[in-house]
Amino acid sequence: MEICQACEEFEKRVKKWNYTHGAVDPLPYIDDMIKPHKHLIFEGRRIDGAGAFLISFQCLKCDQWWRLSAWSAVGYLDVWPLFMQHPSSP
Ligand SMILES: [Zn+2]
């Protein structure tokens, strides 16, 4: 599956954050990373056992799902594509 240009840039933006910011809490920056991507919609958020925020998004343009993780304590962000088998329709 091909991801769209906006998704590609979104992924780059997130990865780059780790280089341009040091060990600071990434949570306040997440909005800025999402906003330039006009087709990304928020799908859910939870906190895992290790204290990381796991945030899911779906791109309405290319239908790619993304999982963003943010570790406030160490100041680290990561993002990777999720491959969903058709989430149950409402
Ligand atoms: Zn996309």
Side-chain angles (χ1 to χ4, degrees):
M1 186 164 62
E2 290 285 314
I3 62 169
C4 69
Q5 177 110 30
C7 278
E8 242 173 65
E9 283 163 13
F10 165 67
E11 190 177 14
K12 273 188 212 149
R13 218 161 29 242
V14 173
K15 306 264 188 200
K16 202 174 135 203
W17 185 90
N18 291 300
Y19 300 104
T20 51
H21 295 78
V24 295
D25 187 351
L27 290 178
Y29 297 88
I30 291 177
D31 262 3
D32 288 346
M33 283 180 227
I34 308 306
K35 261 184 217 149
H37 190 322
K38 306 260 188 290
H39 310 282
L40 211 57
I41 55 162
F42 175 79
E43 288 288 344
R45 182 171 82 169
R46 64 188 179 86
I47 300 176
D48 77 359
F53 278 87
L54 300 175
I55 312 168
S56 309
F57 299 96
Q58 185 187 12
C59 175
L60 294 179
K61 199 171 180 189
C62 66
D63 210 28
Q64 178 64 57
W65 284 70
W66 295 95
R67 165 67 52 78
L68 185 77
S69 58
W71 286 268
S72 295
V74 291
Y76 188 74
L77 269 181
D78 203 1
V79 67
W80 62 91
L82 281 182
F83 297 99
M84 312 283 289
Q85 1 236 336
H86 301 278
S88 51
S89 19

